[in-house]
Amino acid sequence: MSSDYKIPDGYRYTKDHEWVRRDENNDNVIIVGITDYAQHAMGDIVHVELPSVGDEFSKGDEAAIVESAKSASEIYAPVSGQIVKGNDNLDSHPEHINAQPYDDGWLFKIELSDPDELDLILSSDGYTHFLEEEDN
């Protein structure tokens, strides 16, 4: 059930179970991670392959891979833009994704090339509704 998962307000969510929020230091940079729902579904995260700084993606492109003991999952760019930072702490501590998916478990930061794309991503209420639909 969707109410069992943390879905904080102030974030936006994709139907691929990524979250995004604006970087507090730069309004044109978006921080990306996977949702609490996604990390629960994957189980213990054991490895992460992040994009490199300078890599450019279009919305929907495969940008990273998160591996758990159960499976490997592609992480898609929720917006178009250029990578400006990866979460290097995940190299030695991929378990941060399980423990703190919305904080220390973020994956990468991407500078928006089309800020309007952000408006197309689900609000917390929209994501909650999406999960409820998935449960049925």
Side-chain angles (χ1 to χ4, degrees), residues 52-104:
S52 299
V53 171
D55 286 353
E56 293 189 20
F57 296 98
S58 294
K59 179 180 176 176
D61 287 351
E62 182 183 310
I65 298 175
V66 175
E67 296 178 22
S68 71
K70 293 193 233 178
S71 66
S73 295
E74 295 82 16
I75 306 302
Y76 301 101
V79 294
S80 300
Q82 184 175 43
I83 301 299
V84 294
K85 184 167 179 52
N87 186 350
D88 296 333
N89 285 336
L90 297 179
D91 289 341
S92 54
H93 298 288
E95 69 276 4
H96 286 313
I97 295 171
N98 293 116
Q100 301 174 333
Y102 299 105
D103 297 307
D104 292 342

Side-chain angles (χ1 to χ4, degrees), residues 7 10 31 34-35 45 49 56 61 63 73-74 76-77 83 85 94 106 117 126-127 132 134:
I7 305 172
I31 303 170
I34 65 170
T35 65
I45 307 294
E49 290 181 33
E56 293 189 20
D61 287 351
S73 295
E74 295 82 16
Y76 301 101
I83 301 299
K85 184 167 179 52
W106 63 274
E117 287 180 344
Y127 185 65
E132 289 168 353
E134 292 271 290

Side-chain angles (χ1 to χ4, degrees), residues 28 79-81 111-120:
N28 206 39
V79 294
S80 300
E111 186 169 6
L112 291 165
S113 60
D114 182 358
D116 291 340
E117 287 180 344
L118 200 55
D119 296 333
L120 304 175

